[in-house]
């Protein structure tokens, strides 16, 4: 499994890789939901690349950016077991250098429901996903249906900007008690989990 940390290295790796190419974007803390995305990508694509990047743009000022679970070593182990071909693991500075100022605002769909209580969140998601799609230029990119609004935002962005990547949505994976698997489930107390 190739690990690339710069955009330049990533582009170089991709030049020689087998096609079609599938991208599974993540913020790490790899769980069974991610595994399902990767397994689906492995069926469709000859090369599967996973990105691990905790995207600061999608966290509000009072959200959990600093405490978001970061467990790169165990993530890499899991990705290796899943036979992912490459991992793009850039630093925040690599993706958003000091002079970075562009934001992708997808419009109304970003401002309702979760977007209403998390202003700027979906612009942050759209901006990083747009960057990843432009850097990696995959045939397919995989997202969990669990994040239904995120899927709609990304589909709208890809359509509006004529990005060639096909967005593929993968059914939600659940814990045995029915809760949709998420990296943040570890924050939930027992009572929050069942409320
Ligand atoms: O769903 C996520 O993990 C993130 O929002 C994504 C799509 C990787 C963008 O940072």
């Amino acid at each position: 499994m190739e690990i690339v940390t710069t955009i330049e290295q990533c582009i170089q790796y991709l030049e020689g890789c087998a096609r079609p190419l599938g991208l599974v974007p993540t913020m790490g803390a790899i769980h069974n939901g991610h595994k399902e995305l990767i397994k689906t990508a492995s069926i469709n694509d000859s090369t599967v690349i996973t990105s691990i990047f905790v995207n600061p743009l999608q966290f509000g000022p009072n959200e959990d950016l600093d405490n978001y679970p970061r467990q790169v070593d165990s993530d890499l182990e899991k990705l290796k077991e899943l036979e992912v071909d490459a991992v793009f693991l850039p630093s925040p500075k690599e993706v958003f250098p000091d002079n970075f100022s562009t934001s992708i605002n997808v419009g109304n769909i970003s401002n309702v429901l979760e977007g209403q209580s998390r202003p700027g969140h979906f612009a942050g998601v759209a901006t990083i996903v747009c960057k990843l799609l432009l850097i990696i230029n995959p045939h397919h990119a995989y997202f969990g249906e669990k994040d239904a609004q995120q899927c709609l935002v990304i589909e709208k962005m890809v359509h509006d900007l004529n990005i060639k990547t096909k967005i593929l949505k993968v059914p939600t994976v659940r814990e045995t008690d029915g809760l949709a698997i998420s990296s943040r489930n570890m924050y939930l107390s027992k009572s929050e989990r069942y409320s």
Side-chain angles (χ1 to χ4, degrees):
M1 186 176 76
E2 191 86 12
I3 299 169
V4 290
T5 56
T6 67
I7 293 169
E8 192 54 45
Q9 279 173 3
C10 187
I11 291 169
Q12 254 178 35
Y13 167 79
L14 293 170
E15 268 170 17
C17 79
R19 309 281 155 155
L21 171 63
L23 167 67
V24 179
T26 81
M27 297 206 298
I30 299 299
H31 53 59
N32 287 345
H34 296 123
K35 288 184 185 174
E36 206 53 38
L37 301 182
I38 291 166
K39 282 182 195 158
T40 310
S42 305
I43 295 167
N44 294 336
D45 296 298
S46 301
T47 301
V48 176
I49 181 164
T50 299
S51 57
I52 299 181
F53 181 66
V54 181
N55 170 31
L57 297 189
Q58 68 188 79
F59 289 77
N62 299 317
E63 294 186 15
D64 56 344
L65 174 61
D66 291 341
N67 298 323
Y68 193 84
R70 287 169 175 84
Q71 42 197 54
V72 172
D73 291 344
S74 71
D75 282 349
L76 293 177
E77 280 304 312
K78 288 175 192 167
L79 296 175
K80 208 168 169 183
E81 270 170 34
L82 290 162
E83 298 183 3
V84 160
D85 297 287
V87 182
F88 181 39
L89 184 62
S91 67
K93 276 264 153 35
E94 178 70 12
V95 181
F96 299 122
D98 286 340
N99 57 356
F100 186 88
S101 60
T102 298
S103 178
I104 309 271
N105 184 348
V106 177
N108 287 346
I109 181 75
S110 304
N111 303 325
V112 294
L113 302 168
E114 186 179 352
Q116 204 166 13
S117 52
R118 301 183 75 189
H121 169 69
F122 286 115
V125 170
T127 304
I128 184 61
V129 172
C130 186
K131 275 205 84 154
L132 290 170
L133 296 182
L134 293 176
I135 293 166
I136 294 171
N137 193 19
H139 295 83
H140 307 118
Y142 296 83
F143 297 88
E145 278 178 356
K146 166 178 78 68
D147 302 308
Q149 192 173 1
Q150 170 169 282
C151 289
L152 289 173
V153 167
I154 291 166
E155 285 173 326
K156 180 85 168 79
M157 173 192 74
V158 162
H159 176 264
D160 285 354
L161 298 180
N162 302 96
I163 294 173
K164 298 282 179 288
T165 302
K166 192 162 181 204
I167 302 302
L168 297 179
K169 292 177 287 183
V170 175
T172 303
V173 179
R174 294 182 183 277
E175 308 273 11
T176 44
D177 62 5
L179 184 68
I181 295 183
S182 157
S183 306
R184 286 186 171 106
N185 286 357
M186 62 179 81
Y187 297 156
L188 297 174
S189 67
K190 222 171 181 176
S191 61
E192 283 167 335
R193 193 178 171 110
Y194 293 106
S195 64

